[in-house]
Amino acid sequence: MPRIERTDGPRRAFWQIDLEGPLVTVRHGPLGADGAVATHRFDDATEARRAYERLLAELGADAADRAPRAADAARRGASAERLTVQLTGRGTSVELSAQGDRVTERRWSTAGDEVEISARAFDDATHALDELGARTTVLVRDGFEETERRRERVGPPGAAPAPDGREASEPEHERACLAAAPDDAGPWQVYADWLQGRGDPRGTLAALFLSGQGAAGTSFLERWREALLGPAAQLVPLEAGALVFRHGFLTQARLWRRRGSATDLSALTRAFLAQPFTRFVTALRFGLASDEADNDWGPTLAALVESPRAAQLSALAFDDFGPDEADLASTPFGDLSRLWAGLPALEHLSLRSGAGGVLGRVEHPRLKSFVRVSTGLSASELRSIGAARWPALERLELWTGSTALGAEVTAEALRPLVEGQALPRLTHLGLVACEEARELVPMLLGSPLLPRLRTLDLSRGLVADAEAGLLLRHADRLRHLERLDLSENLLSPAGRDALARALPNARLDGQRTDEGRIVASLDES
């Protein structure tokens, strides 16, 4: 079994590669550790051997072979080396980096707040390295301690992600990453090293995250925003949670436009998903497409459906805005009818909008979760949802809203959902902020769907003591639930206490007084 070790770059790692018939087994990890094992099955032994030999060639090329390739890359100006020194002292961290003829200095407090960043250009790379050495010496004399020194092979500042201007891509590696078990980092590490060897900054970024250097990875991402994100660089926030990485590669992102901006959200989405950086993105969350009441996510959806990532997107949320950005009741969502056929891998969908739009014919074989938050659900929307075909759906949550804000919901319109005949796998039903409590509660208690549910959410609605009495008389039908959410309804203290004794699985906090039987506000949802 060939063993390849790498001791240069930000990680010291090894690979052991074995070929047996149609199977290629790779053991990979840091030097001194057992490493993770991944086995890949191919259609036949010939295809497996090709993959085996290609992997050996990429990882185990001897020095004589690497030298001319490195020289060619240098002549093309495709890659460069960055020397980075990190120091800590006096409650402050300093990072000095020399790349080409430029030296960059970043300072931040140990609490994580950046103090300042500066950069200087010198006559050439030699002078830049001399300056970095001199600056390091001064800081050490001032009481700082050098905590890390590393060399990274990266592209020149402002370069495209791949050295030759094209996407560095190896479909075999990508398929191995996608097929790996969730906790198996081995294939991702192999791909990161393959990319690094071609001067692609995605490889260096992944290597930093994979080796536990999160702060350095974030810093690297900041420096390579334009190369990695393209035209979307200045419009994708880097705050906590906006970009989510798995095994060093981007898998989830939040896209939004600043309030008052003329940014076209659909154009941003199209540009973002065209980048190699987004190759493994499966989940996206969107802010508003417009500040005004004519918000329309339809063009953004078109960008998704027409993107190279359409076939892999599994989670989508159109809900990332608050009351300071728009009035929920007057915010429509537009025409989303292309969604059902255009995103075949979609499993989770969240839609938050008060003024409605067009859902079209709702039919999706893989969707597992649908959350629709509205201040006033329209009759046409409810008809589309009631006639939906989603055999895999496990979670359905509808915030139906108030008639005063346009809701056109009746108990009869809800009956197809409550009976659950078209929802064979449903385990969570939420009918939130619903005015139809008087007819809905008895309908639920007699529903064939109820025994299959694990959770039932009737929060923020108009459940009062009359409905509580009915729930108490049929408490045996509700005790199998893991949670019965009756919070923020209209129960009296006596009604609430009686339910609490009979149904320990009930959530009963936040009861409101009877204010003309109005559902709870959704402004802070």
Side-chain angles (χ1 to χ4, degrees):
M1 179 181 290
R3 179 182 174 98
I4 299 117
E5 295 186 357
R6 176 166 294 169
T7 58
D8 56 348
R11 293 187 300 117
R12 294 167 54 85
F14 75 92
W15 290 261
Q16 289 180 188
I17 307 164
D18 184 41
L19 173 66
E20 183 177 352
L23 303 178
V24 175
T25 301
V26 179
R27 180 182 292 275
H28 173 265
L31 287 178
D34 291 337
V37 178
T39 299
H40 309 286
R41 179 181 292 276
F42 296 86
D43 292 339
D44 52 48
T46 301
E47 185 180 350
R49 176 163 287 280
R50 290 196 192 101
Y52 170 79
E53 292 175 349
R54 183 166 58 248
L55 190 57
L56 285 178
E58 289 165 359
L59 294 174
D62 60 26
D65 181 46
R66 285 199 302 267
R69 286 191 296 169
D72 289 342
R75 283 193 294 271
R76 291 195 307 269
S79 65
E81 188 177 71
R82 178 187 291 117
L83 174 61
T84 301
V85 178
Q86 290 187 340
L87 307 99
T88 302
R90 299 182 179 180
T92 301
S93 293
V94 178
E95 181 187 84
L96 300 171
S97 296
Q99 180 183 348
D101 62 354
R102 183 175 294 270
V103 174
T104 302
E105 179 171 339
R106 294 179 65 243
R107 284 175 169 261
W108 63 96
S109 72
T110 52
D113 300 320
E114 189 166 299
V115 178
E116 62 182 52
I117 181 169
S118 61
R120 290 179 60 194
F122 296 86
D123 292 340
D124 52 37
T126 300
H127 284 83
L129 288 171
D130 289 343
E131 172 62 21
L132 184 145
R135 183 71 183 127
T136 300
T137 299
V138 170
L139 288 169
V140 170
R141 287 175 180 170
D142 286 347
F144 283 75
E145 178 184 0
E146 183 175 326
T147 58
E148 183 180 359
R149 180 180 292 254
R150 65 180 183 273
R151 294 182 182 273
E152 301 164 292
R153 186 184 178 202
V154 296
D164 55 5
R166 297 174 298 172
E167 175 180 354
S169 176
E170 213 299 315
E172 197 65 57
H173 286 325
E174 294 175 359
R175 283 195 293 269
C177 290
L178 293 171
D183 59 350
D184 180 8
W188 303 87
Q189 291 172 326
V190 171
Y191 192 32
D193 284 302
W194 185 89
L195 291 169
Q196 254 193 303
R198 282 148 183 80
D200 191 318
R202 289 177 296 156
T204 300
L205 180 64
L208 291 169
F209 282 130
L210 282 163
S211 60
Q213 300 180 62
T218 301
S219 177
F220 182 87
L221 177 58
E222 290 173 353
R223 291 194 295 266
W224 282 86
R225 285 176 64 93
E226 293 183 5
L228 292 169
L229 295 169
Q234 302 306 315
L235 300 170
V236 178
L238 292 183
E239 62 213 38
L243 298 178
V244 177
F245 293 81
R246 175 171 170 255
H247 300 318
F249 289 86
L250 182 69
T251 57
Q252 301 178 38
R254 170 189 173 212
L255 301 181
W256 65 293
R257 46 181 291 286
R258 297 187 184 280
R259 181 174 174 82
S261 161
T263 299
D264 184 334
L265 185 65
S266 62
L268 162 62
T269 301
R270 201 177 301 274
F272 177 75
L273 293 177
Q275 303 304 311
F277 186 49
T278 66
R279 171 62 184 88
F280 297 108
V281 166
T282 59
L284 291 170
R285 188 180 186 193
F286 291 94
L288 291 169
S290 171
D291 292 335
E292 308 302 328
D294 59 353
N295 178 69
D296 184 357
W297 281 306
T300 303
L301 174 63
L304 292 175
V305 170
E306 296 161 8
S307 80
R309 316 299 176 219
Q312 69 193 49
L313 289 174
S314 62
L316 194 58
F318 295 100
D319 63 0
D320 193 10
F321 65 97
D324 58 328
E325 296 174 84
D327 175 25
L328 177 60
S330 59
T331 302
F333 61 77
D335 186 349
L336 301 186
S337 56
R338 292 186 64 185
L339 184 149
W340 311 107
L343 300 176
L346 194 66
E347 295 184 352
H348 306 280
L349 175 63
S350 177
L351 177 59
R352 185 166 172 267
S353 158
V358 178
L359 288 178
R361 182 181 179 183
V362 181
E363 185 171 353
H364 202 290
R366 295 185 62 176
L367 198 73
K368 294 181 179 179
S369 170
F370 178 63
V371 177
R372 172 69 178 102
V373 176
S374 175
T375 51
L377 197 67
S378 70
S380 62
E381 261 197 272
L382 188 54
R383 281 194 296 272
S384 290
I385 295 169
R389 295 182 181 180
W390 34 34
L393 199 73
E394 299 171 0
R395 179 184 182 88
L396 175 62
E397 188 169 310
L398 302 181
W399 298 47
T400 58
S402 167
T403 53
L405 295 174
E408 300 171 330
V409 176
T410 65
E412 281 306 306
L414 292 171
R415 187 178 293 277
L417 302 176
V418 172
E419 292 183 347
Q421 294 177 356
L423 301 166
R425 297 189 180 181
L426 197 72
T427 58
H428 171 89
L429 176 63
L431 296 172
V432 181
C434 182
E435 294 180 328
E436 300 300 311
R438 285 172 179 164
E439 295 182 58
L440 182 60
V441 168
M443 189 187 299
L444 281 164
L445 288 170
S447 167
L449 174 64
L450 183 59
R452 292 191 273 123
L453 294 179
R454 290 204 297 266
T455 51
L456 176 61
D457 187 351
L458 300 177
S459 63
R460 295 175 175 254
L462 302 184
V463 176
D465 284 0
E467 291 77 37
L470 190 57
L471 293 171
L472 288 169
R473 286 195 294 275
H474 299 282
D476 57 315
R477 301 183 188 179
L478 301 167
R479 290 195 180 100
H480 72 285
L481 294 171
E482 295 173 8
R483 186 180 72 257
L484 170 62
D485 195 340
L486 296 171
S487 61
E488 297 187 63
N489 273 280
L490 303 178
L491 297 169
S492 70
R496 180 194 61 204
D497 293 345
L499 282 171
R501 288 191 297 271
L503 294 168
N505 57 350
R507 179 181 171 187
L508 299 161
D509 55 295
Q511 297 301 316
R512 301 173 291 121
T513 58
D514 188 338
E515 301 164 340
R517 291 185 68 85
I518 298 173
V519 297
S521 171
L522 306 188
D523 289 343
E524 302 303 323
S525 62

